[in-house]
Amino acid sequence: RVGNMRKETLLIRFLYQTVAGRSILKILVQPWVSRKVGIFLNSKFSRWLVPVFVKKNGINMDEYEKKDYKSFNDFFIRKRNKEWIDITPNHLISPCDGYLSVYPIEESRTYKIKNTEYHLEQLLDSAALAQKFSGGYCRIFRLTPRHYHRYCYICDGVRQESRKIEGKLHCVRPVAYMSVPVFVENNREYVKIKSDL
């Protein structure tokens, strides 16, 4: 963790580790700020960020469909070439790219996400839903900027419920999640699927 902290930019450290920075941060993590940034990232004026991001994160663009990206967000939700997708029958399909951790779901269990522990009830914002999945397994996929940021459903079934949990928009850099409980304060969403599996 010390190594990660050293890699943080001066700006991120200022925002999360100083009194003045935390005052500014209270404004920056509000959803309306994210919407304003989103307008820029959806515009053609953000295209210059694409080659910078690709180089910084070592992304192999041969894995993705060739296209002229209209904005940074257009690039961020890029599609993978079909030949890079493994759809072998009768094996687990990963819902997304990332580093996977698996935990049994137990009432008193905590789940570690980026070196911070959470209860399932906190993550889902629902004691009833956490209890419903007791005895099952929790799979946590951690994506980095270089990972593919699309996801898929891993099984056939009926979509029963989709819930968005409103929250803030902290960054997920080490200095942030070591200062605040990012993953129970941030916006998040879950989908319930009824499946025969």
Side-chain angles (χ1 to χ4, degrees), residues 108-157:
S108 60
R109 182 88 192 215
T110 58
Y111 306 92
K112 189 172 281 190
I113 304 174
K114 293 191 175 181
N115 296 312
T116 306
E117 293 191 349
Y118 299 91
H119 289 279
L120 187 59
E121 180 180 332
Q122 292 175 295
L123 293 169
L124 297 173
D125 192 34
S126 170
L129 191 56
Q131 178 61 39
K132 184 172 183 177
F133 288 99
S134 181
Y137 288 90
C138 175
R139 294 169 180 86
I140 298 172
F141 292 84
R142 181 174 67 84
L143 281 70
T144 66
R146 70 186 308 272
H147 281 122
Y148 180 58
H149 276 67
R150 283 177 174 256
Y151 67 91
C152 67
Y153 294 119
I154 63 172
C155 61
D156 292 330

Side-chain angles (χ1 to χ4, degrees), residues 118 166-170 180-188:
Y118 299 91
E166 298 292 344
K168 297 179 180 177
L169 294 160
H170 288 286
V180 294
V182 168
F183 297 102
V184 294
E185 286 194 3
N186 272 8
N187 265 356
R188 55 203 186 277

Side-chain angles (χ1 to χ4, degrees), residues 5-6 12 17 21 27 37 43-44 66 73 76 79 83 85 93-94 96-97 121 125 136 139 146 164 168 171 175 187:
M5 291 294 287
R6 286 177 181 159
I12 296 293
Q17 295 181 333
I27 298 169
V37 173
S43 76
K44 64 182 180 181
K66 300 256 187 273
N73 277 347
F76 203 70
K79 290 184 179 179
E83 57 266 26
I85 301 173
I93 301 295
S94 175
C96 63
D97 281 0
E121 180 180 332
D125 192 34
R139 294 169 180 86
R146 70 186 308 272
K164 185 172 184 179
K168 297 179 180 177
C171 76
V175 71
N187 265 356

Side-chain angles (χ1 to χ4, degrees), residues 34-77:
S34 179
R35 285 193 289 272
K36 297 289 186 187
V37 173
I39 291 170
F40 166 69
L41 294 177
N42 279 325
S43 76
K44 64 182 180 181
F45 301 108
S46 66
R47 283 187 296 185
W48 66 272
L49 291 168
V50 174
V52 175
F53 190 86
V54 168
K55 183 176 180 181
K56 180 180 178 183
N57 293 288
I59 297 171
N60 180 4
M61 293 305 293
D62 292 337
E63 296 180 22
Y64 304 98
E65 291 183 351
K66 300 256 187 273
K67 68 173 285 188
D68 181 24
Y69 297 108
K70 297 180 175 63
S71 67
F72 180 79
N73 277 347
D74 186 32
F75 157 76
F76 203 70
I77 59 169

